Amino acid sequence: MAFRAPRIAPSQITPPDTYLGRRAFLAGALGAGAGAAIGRAGAAVVAARAGTPLQYTDDAAESVDALVHAPDQNEKPNTWAQITGYNNYYEFGTGKSDPAQYAGSLQTRPWSVAVDGEAQITGSFPLEEFLKPYALEERIYRFRCVEAWSMVIPWVGFPLAQMLKRFKPTSRAKYVAFETLYRPGQMPGQRERILDWPYREGLRIDEAMNPLAFMVVGLYGRVLPNQSGAPLRLIVPWKYGFKGIKAIVRIVFTEAQPSTTWSEAAPDEYGFYANVNPNVPHPRWSQATERRIGNPFFHERQATLMFNGYADEVAYLYKGMNLHRYF
Ligand code: MTE
């Protein structure tokens, strides 16, 4: 049965003053109505220090890619404290508050991103150069963890598609793979074999080119805190949160499906696709419902939506695929 995905409007965001204590958000951004892309026409200038306001210059090479989001009256973004205090980031421990406690030790400057594989333009790019062409915009997305909790998060970043096109992938580029920094000196979790480090993720190239796939540098108009994946992370809102790889240092265009950390660690539990799907249970729990972080009724659960509510935008990618097999 087709259904209209509920959307979340930027205008529904509670002013971050409420959470942050002082006014520091992008001028006017919060006043933008439904249907507006609230990115500013300006190249990304992302300061090193987490939590400082994002800034913009006037020389963006790309214009803001408007994305229409119709309002949904029922969903409110999570607070800064919730989004940055309840995380999964195994490089800093397996507890939900470990990342907030320990990720501060990670040095996010200098930083560079290596691009290689099936693309005409490859190389290693200092972060500042890597980010410069893109205008930043805000996207308020639902976030659904495979563990069946969820949030609503106002990310700031730019479409992954814009970034990928810049490197001119060849016709052999069928997938794109991402890798997290490997630096055990600053990432204590990497000193233990909790996962096969570095953390790796990947997308089929047509998934990666979907306008919803987003490269994130900020949150609530501010530089992304380390626990949230600074300085650069991926968000794929119709997939389980583990696809949203943090602290990206490498992007590779590949012909074959890349190996990904969780699908290798537990192939029966976590697939390569990882699409949010209420009809395909995890072997150890149902995915039909979720617990929204911040809901004062702790045991209350809400229905999980197919593709996390983004079916209208992404269902075409999986036409004819057996989603029970390719989970
Ligand atoms: N990226 C890295 N490098 N390491 C991780 O452990 N955890 C993933 C994903 N990205 C993870 C990661 C998982 S399981 C989830 S649910 C999301 O990050 C959590 O993102 P959040 O902490 O911003 O909510």
Side-chain angles (χ1 to χ4, degrees), residues 61-136:
E62 311 255 0
S63 64
V64 172
D65 196 10
L67 193 81
V68 176
H69 279 229
D72 168 15
Q73 299 307 321
N74 303 319
E75 289 182 289
K76 214 173 97 200
N78 283 90
T79 65
W80 174 274
Q82 288 161 347
I83 298 164
T84 63
Y86 187 91
N87 301 95
N88 274 335
Y89 200 169
Y90 280 18
E91 284 85 341
F92 297 100
T94 55
K96 294 286 184 274
S97 58
D98 288 341
Q101 200 176 342
Y102 302 116
S105 60
L106 176 64
Q107 297 287 317
T108 61
R109 295 294 190 290
W111 194 271
S112 59
V113 181
V115 179
D116 57 289
E118 296 291 349
Q120 287 177 36
I121 300 172
T122 57
S124 176
F125 303 85
L127 186 70
E128 294 70 22
E129 194 187 310
F130 187 85
L131 296 179
K132 198 157 186 237
Y134 312 111
L136 298 181

Side-chain angles (χ1 to χ4, degrees), residues 6 15-16 22 28 33 35 39 51 54 66 71 74 97 124 128 135 139-140 157 170 210 214 224-225 229 319 324-325:
R22 65 194 163 103
L54 289 161
N74 303 319
S97 58
S124 176
E128 294 70 22
R139 299 275 182 95
I140 302 171
T170 71
N210 183 282
F214 205 48
L224 207 59
K319 251 204 172 111
H324 288 263
R325 179 163 178 213

